[in-house]
Amino acid sequence: MCGIIGIFGNEKAANMATLGLFAEQHRGQESCGMAVNNGTTIKLRKKMGLVKDIFTPEKIMELEGKIAIGHVRYPTRGSSSVYNSQPHIVETLSGPSYALSSNGDIVNYRELRSWLEGKGVYFASGNDGELILKFIVYHVERENLSIQNAILELMKSVKGAYSTILATKTEMYLFRDPYAFRPMSYGKTKDGTIVVASESCALDILYMEWIREVKPAEIIIVNDDGINNIENDPNKFRVTKTNKHCIFEHIYFSRPDSVIFEESVYEVREKIGAIIAENDDLDPDVVVPVPDSSNFIALGYAKYKRKPYELGLIRNHYVGRTFIKPEQTIRDESVYQKFNPLPNFFKGKIVTLIDDSIVRGTTLRKIVKLVRRAGAKEIHLRIGSPAVKNPCYYGIDTPTREELIANNKSVEEIREYIGSDSLKYLTIEQLERAVRKPENFCYACFNGRYPVK
Ligand code: SF4
């Protein structure tokens, strides 16, 4: 999971892109970058660290131009290094000519990279965004295809998830994989600036009029003539086009103030909470979320049960998202730095503790210990997703199958390991009821049915 932003047609493109990246910082905190085009060349700045530290007002002033594309990274493919951060750029004889930011992951990365290397294409990173860029540039520069046809070629050959922005010196191309796994929508400001972003919260911060999501396998070309969209003809196009959005974007990843896949994240999370409550006989004294992504699931649960909803676990926002830290050792230490329980909400009480998911179970085990230490009489764990049993190949850094606790233990064994008094997961059927078009979603990490392999 990463965040992307693209701005076309504004003198303050770098400023706007920085604001957009701020709004998407939750999608990746390891590195960030921006490529800005001033009509003759493309300037690149990318570093390890947060947007606020990398894009200071002084640095933004150095990035002049009307086209800017940006990226915040959370590593999936490629190690934690600046080489793997995005955007990637390619220089031609006339200097830097192409820049690309992408969110997703490529399933047949090795095969395609070897093929390109066999043609003499050089790779500077192990990142899937570079593969996408080099694939397109190879077909444009060496095979004389138009950029649009090179992207079409990419859609036929590359398997996986990619919500992507490609910038040239004069144009911006927006395109999405045929399954539209990761969110991507675009909008317009009153002065005609075009903005594309992973999440609508990045469009809101720029006072943008939201236009719509980029469709599966669609290519949108933005240039001085306006917006031109190309919806690929399925008869000519050799891949199936169907929405298989990542359901975890609604459960956990996206911000609650975003509208993704045409539904409010806040509302979907509340609905999940209500569905859990509807299927739960428990009569708790208090409902407490593991903040932040579970807040709205717990709110939905508490509203349905008409029970007090309390933010009894206080989260230190400066530690970062636990799941996003790349190494287990860093992850473990973060839990105690990150949560502090308020004993008044727990002492002698029957607590429904709500979390969005269980991956390894190590974090939740420590949280349950904290809540127990704060005096809870009973802790009943309710999970806003089904058991995660399979790894994700579409842009989420889930651990291997062996490391996923639900693969090795029964629900009762997981409860015992975590130390709660009871444990209930949402079922896939219940989760499907929380969204308007359940057939449009991927559930592979729960049921192993991968839309593309
Ligand atoms: S496998 Fe899971 S995390 Fe990956 S895209 Fe599908 S639903 Fe999302």
Side-chain angles (χ1 to χ4, degrees), residues 394-415:
Y394 313 127
I396 303 299
D397 183 27
T398 42
T400 59
R401 204 166 256 124
E402 295 67 44
E403 288 174 279
L404 294 167
I405 193 167
N407 241 327
N408 308 313
K409 294 184 193 297
S410 66
V411 175
E412 176 51 21
E413 284 167 339
I414 298 170
R415 182 207 62 74

Side-chain angles (χ1 to χ4, degrees), residues 181-182 245-248 253 391-394 396 442-446 450:
F181 283 106
R182 300 280 146 228
H245 310 309
C246 173
I247 192 72
F248 250 117
F253 299 122
C392 173
Y393 301 114
Y394 313 127
I396 303 299
C442 168
Y443 306 92
C445 45
F446 312 125
Y450 291 99

